[in-house]
Amino acid sequence: MVEKYLKTLEFDEVLRLLEQMATCEETKQKIKEIRPCVSLQGVQKQQEQTSCAQTLILRYNEPEILPFGEIHPIVARLEKGATLSAGELLAVGMLLKTVQNLISWSKNFDGPELILSKYFNELRSLRSLSDTIGKAIVSEDEISSSASDELAKLRSEIVEVKAQIRADLDFFLRSPTIQKSLQQGIVTVRNERFVIPVKTECKNDIKGLVHDVSASGSTLFVEPIGVVKQNNRLKELVSKERKEIERILRELSDQAFEQLENIQNNHRLLIFLDVIMAKARLAIAMDASPPILVENGTVDLKGARHPLLPKEVAVPIDIRVGSDFSTLVITGPNTGGKTVALKTVGLLILMTMSGLAIPAKEGSVTSVFSQILVDLGDEQSIEQNLSTFSGHVKNIVKILEVADGKSLVLLDELGAGTDPVEGAGLAIAILEELRKRGTRVIATTHYAELKAYALSSDGVENASCEFDLKTLTPTYKFSIGVPGRSSAFAIAQRLGLSETIVRRAKESLDENSIIFEDVLQELDKIKVELQSKIEQNRILEEELREKRSQMESFAQELLSKENQMAADFKAKTEPVIKLIEETFDKVAVEIREIQREENLGKLEELRNRVRSDLGGYKKLWKGGGGVVSNLGAGLKRGDSVKIKSLQREGILINDPDKNGMVSVRSGNVITKLDISNLEKIGKATENFPILTKAVRGFKASKRVGDEIKLLGLSVDEALDKLDKFLDDAAMFGLHNLRIVHGKGTGKLRQAVHEYLGTCSIVKSFRLGLFGEGESGVTIVEI
């Protein structure tokens, strides 16, 4: 890739955005060196790594990566056997701490199939060295007293000696005779020795050693003879402290040297992973996604946005080339967005080939090109005495020298800067040459001849950028298949140019040009009408799709009700049939006895009893209270029962109504059930309370939604609320639930997932997809 073309497309600005996503300075330097890869396999690998990192960040949040500074100079000093400074050892310690953070983070991964797992597995913890450095080094300038027992002892003695010296000097300063000789009544330090400021003219009044003189010469800094011995002792202790610190640094440096290979490997992996994580962070910030990669020269970008424009400002465009045509000619008025469209295509392909996700809709397709060749902007050069036209031609000559079937060529205002007729002819010849080579080309122009060329040539297609003549502003909407109008006359007239001049200008055009512009105008009208109809059809399709979905849901509901009715019918008929069969068996036995005894009175008694039983069966079928109570094997209010359909226990809290329905309390939930759905498991509770109004009013409160929000709750509060919600959902037959726990630190999400994993009624659960709430929501199937 030619650096000039990369800069023209502002690839360096994209890398600058990527640098802002990096944690370490060395990573930022590595990012500056990123260049597009021309190998399909290489690009695929980088895209997979970026996508994997993006998924991990969204799923598990980010690990803490400490700013460990530059390691290469430290490694070089270790290789020479040098003793590292406290700051250098601190940098090594932060590197190793970051390694531990990444290793801990990687334990959340689903398995070894993850693309990045092997890199995390290559990291070496070196916890012992990390902990030793962390215990010894407080900052770049300070060694902790806990670094060694000897250092702690020396520092303790130093504190005691300093305190004694200050106490002696403070006592000395309080003497009235001494105070007359002092410049100030303070204790200070010179050459690591405690001294007092004495007036120069009074130097003979105080016996001691002079260590310094003030700039003005009016003050002498004197060490009184009485503290010389103690100052000597202090200096000796400080010297021992310095030597002990040097010993500690030497020892830590030796330990670091022993692990030099692991440190270098960890450093290399950290920079590599930080670059990938930076790409993932940028993808999340841009709402970008990985494109589908092909190698046949196809580019099909859907909803593509320029990555350097704010998302709320950039107008997404659909643009393609290389599938059904190899050359795309974009026309339209100035400032209509032609150049931005050109740059968007080039920059998104460069991002793709650099392992970056692109700000476009999922399903966008890009190819990996061997070269992206660009002629864009003003190419005039004062130094080389080149005009704009000459500059463009010189650049196009270089492009034609190397362009082939694996190249993408982007040409802005092709043929501009010279005589329009000659410029148009030259532009057509250049496009035709590139088309014959199989080169993928996107070019912008104002020339009508190029519009006609695109209409009449195979493999060449027109495209246009729309312009609102009423507001004189571009809409930045992009259309393929219809050439754009320059709208020069309309814009000039809207800006105040007289109608007479505009009319004369139109008359000066040849008839073919006028006819061509009229055709374009008519095409514009047709395009607007078609777009309106397409939008109407889209809305109609959405309405039909929604109605179809509603009908399918209704049909499913009807089927469910039908199945339920069949089940209810079977539940009602089975016990009735069983009772009838038992009755007939008894009647048959009794009839045989009556036949033997020839007792007509007994026959009449049997007939009445059968009639009575049939009446009871009729009541049973209709759900009559008395007989249904018999069906429940003597169930009474207050009995402990088992709800067969839910496999839960409860308390019967009222007698059955005329339809055989009873109320059962299970936990905190009261529901109405058919008595045939109950099985007695315990005796009635004495003095069981009757169903109150509050209980009868449960019908409204028992409605359970399919969503619960746990935002703002502690883990304990959230899990308690979630437990009740799942209970109610199971009781009322809900199957698909939505738990909103938010993203935050991920602690609440983790607790919810751990709980769901132990819950027996949960069939499965997953994080929300794009549009469902992503990692802030968990979807549960009961």
Side-chain angles (χ1 to χ4, degrees), residues 184-434:
Q184 287 179 290
I186 61 170
V187 176
T188 185
V189 176
R190 289 292 186 277
N191 301 325
E192 298 182 357
R193 302 178 78 87
F194 285 92
V195 296
I196 56 176
V198 179
K199 296 174 183 177
T200 303
E201 61 271 21
C202 301
K203 62 180 180 180
N204 295 323
D205 295 346
I206 299 175
K207 293 181 179 181
L209 304 174
V210 177
H211 285 278
D212 200 2
V213 181
S214 66
S216 63
S218 62
T219 305
L220 300 176
F221 295 94
V222 178
E223 178 186 4
I225 200 72
V227 296
V228 169
K229 187 176 180 181
Q230 290 171 300
N231 266 330
N232 288 341
R233 174 61 178 158
L234 177 61
K235 195 164 186 178
E236 182 186 345
L237 290 172
V238 169
S239 176
K240 287 182 177 180
E241 178 195 28
R242 192 176 294 116
K243 288 179 180 178
E244 178 62 14
I245 289 173
E246 289 174 359
R247 187 195 66 78
I248 291 168
L249 295 178
R250 178 69 262 170
E251 187 176 293
L252 291 175
S253 299
D254 290 342
Q255 292 180 32
F257 178 77
E258 291 173 5
Q259 298 293 342
L260 184 57
E261 186 177 345
N262 285 328
I263 291 171
Q264 287 177 297
N265 188 55
N266 281 342
H267 176 248
R268 177 183 59 80
L269 288 168
L270 278 183
I271 298 301
F272 173 78
L273 289 170
D274 197 26
V275 170
I276 295 174
M277 300 289 276
K279 290 179 180 180
R281 295 182 197 111
L282 184 62
I284 294 169
M286 281 188 175
D287 191 18
S289 57
I292 298 169
L293 294 171
V294 295
E295 53 183 345
N296 59 4
T298 298
V299 176
D300 188 358
L301 300 174
K302 299 177 174 66
R305 293 177 279 111
H306 195 289
L308 301 180
L309 294 175
K311 185 179 177 181
E312 60 274 10
V313 172
V315 177
I317 61 170
D318 294 345
I319 186 168
R320 71 181 193 278
V321 70
S323 50
D324 45 344
F325 52 86
S326 63
T327 303
L328 184 66
V329 178
I330 306 173
T331 50
N334 286 325
T335 70
K338 302 189 300 296
T339 304
V340 173
L342 208 64
K343 281 189 171 183
T344 299
V345 174
L347 199 47
L348 264 56
I349 293 174
L350 289 176
M351 290 175 67
T352 298
M353 294 169 64
S354 303
L356 293 165
I358 60 174
K361 290 181 180 177
E362 291 185 6
S364 293
V365 177
T366 63
S367 289
V368 175
F369 294 96
S370 62
Q371 303 172 94
I372 298 180
L373 308 167
V374 184
D375 181 56
L376 191 71
D378 191 352
E379 292 289 337
Q380 74 175 355
S381 170
I382 296 173
E383 291 180 3
Q384 298 181 30
N385 195 26
L386 295 174
S387 67
T388 299
F389 175 73
S390 299
H392 280 295
V393 170
K394 191 172 182 180
N395 195 29
I396 289 172
V397 168
K398 291 179 181 177
I399 289 173
L400 289 172
E401 287 174 355
V402 296
D404 57 21
K406 295 182 179 180
S407 305
L408 172 67
V409 176
L410 306 175
L411 303 171
D412 192 29
E413 298 296 350
L414 181 60
T418 187
D419 177 77
V421 176
E422 293 181 359
L426 195 58
I428 290 172
I430 292 168
L431 291 180
E432 187 63 19
E433 174 62 25
L434 292 170

Side-chain angles (χ1 to χ4, degrees), residues 326-579:
S326 63
T327 303
L328 184 66
V329 178
I330 306 173
T331 50
N334 286 325
T335 70
K338 302 189 300 296
T339 304
V340 173
L342 208 64
K343 281 189 171 183
T344 299
V345 174
L347 199 47
L348 264 56
I349 293 174
L350 289 176
M351 290 175 67
T352 298
M353 294 169 64
S354 303
L356 293 165
I358 60 174
K361 290 181 180 177
E362 291 185 6
S364 293
V365 177
T366 63
S367 289
V368 175
F369 294 96
S370 62
Q371 303 172 94
I372 298 180
L373 308 167
V374 184
D375 181 56
L376 191 71
D378 191 352
E379 292 289 337
Q380 74 175 355
S381 170
I382 296 173
E383 291 180 3
Q384 298 181 30
N385 195 26
L386 295 174
S387 67
T388 299
F389 175 73
S390 299
H392 280 295
V393 170
K394 191 172 182 180
N395 195 29
I396 289 172
V397 168
K398 291 179 181 177
I399 289 173
L400 289 172
E401 287 174 355
V402 296
D404 57 21
K406 295 182 179 180
S407 305
L408 172 67
V409 176
L410 306 175
L411 303 171
D412 192 29
E413 298 296 350
L414 181 60
T418 187
D419 177 77
V421 176
E422 293 181 359
L426 195 58
I428 290 172
I430 292 168
L431 291 180
E432 187 63 19
E433 174 62 25
L434 292 170
R435 186 176 70 84
K436 287 179 180 177
R437 297 184 188 184
T439 307
R440 303 302 188 263
V441 183
I442 303 177
T444 69
T445 184
H446 283 287
Y447 293 143
E449 290 87 345
L450 265 70
K451 302 174 189 177
Y453 165 72
L455 287 170
S456 61
S457 302
D458 292 336
V460 186
E461 187 60 88
N462 273 302
S464 58
C465 291
E466 294 181 4
F467 192 86
D468 190 337
L469 292 175
K470 294 180 181 178
T471 61
L472 295 181
T473 56
T475 64
Y476 298 107
K477 291 182 180 177
F478 192 82
S479 300
I480 293 178
V482 179
R485 300 170 60 204
S486 63
S487 304
F489 294 150
I491 292 173
Q493 192 167 348
R494 289 279 297 170
L495 290 173
L497 195 64
S498 72
E499 187 179 346
T500 305
I501 294 174
V502 173
R503 187 172 62 253
R504 285 177 186 167
K506 288 180 179 178
E507 290 171 355
S508 68
L509 294 176
D510 61 79
E511 188 177 351
N512 288 335
S513 297
I514 294 171
I515 292 171
F516 188 71
E517 284 298 317
D518 288 343
V519 170
L520 288 183
Q521 188 172 357
E522 190 62 30
L523 280 173
D524 267 348
K525 290 180 182 178
I526 294 170
K527 182 176 74 173
V528 170
E529 290 175 4
L530 281 173
Q531 286 175 340
S532 176
K533 288 180 180 179
I534 289 170
E535 181 63 19
Q536 290 173 7
N537 286 339
R538 186 188 64 78
I539 294 170
L540 183 61
E541 281 181 8
E542 286 183 359
E543 290 176 353
L544 288 172
R545 199 177 295 114
E546 185 177 350
K547 287 180 179 178
R548 180 178 178 178
S549 176
Q550 290 174 353
M551 291 181 70
E552 286 176 350
S553 298
F554 182 64
Q556 187 64 34
E557 187 178 345
L558 284 178
L559 181 62
S560 176
K561 285 183 177 178
E562 182 182 344
N563 292 336
Q564 185 60 46
M565 289 172 67
D568 291 346
F569 179 80
K570 184 178 180 182
K572 276 190 173 185
T573 55
E574 278 185 345
V576 175
I577 290 170
K578 186 178 180 180
L579 287 172

Side-chain angles (χ1 to χ4, degrees), residues 97-108:
K97 180 63 177 172
T98 299
V99 168
Q100 289 171 34
N101 292 341
L102 288 176
I103 291 172
S104 298
W105 188 62
S106 67
K107 290 178 181 176
N108 295 315

Side-chain angles (χ1 to χ4, degrees), residues 145-191:
S145 296
S146 60
S148 75
D149 294 340
E150 180 64 20
L151 184 61
K153 178 184 174 185
L154 287 170
R155 286 183 172 174
S156 177
E157 289 184 38
I158 288 170
V159 169
E160 290 177 7
V161 172
K162 282 183 177 180
Q164 186 59 52
I165 293 172
R166 282 189 173 277
D168 291 349
L169 288 175
D170 286 342
F171 180 78
F172 186 72
L173 292 174
R174 286 197 294 270
S175 170
T177 56
I178 296 300
Q179 288 179 354
K180 295 175 184 179
S181 305
L182 298 176
Q183 196 70 264
Q184 287 179 290
I186 61 170
V187 176
T188 185
V189 176
R190 289 292 186 277
N191 301 325

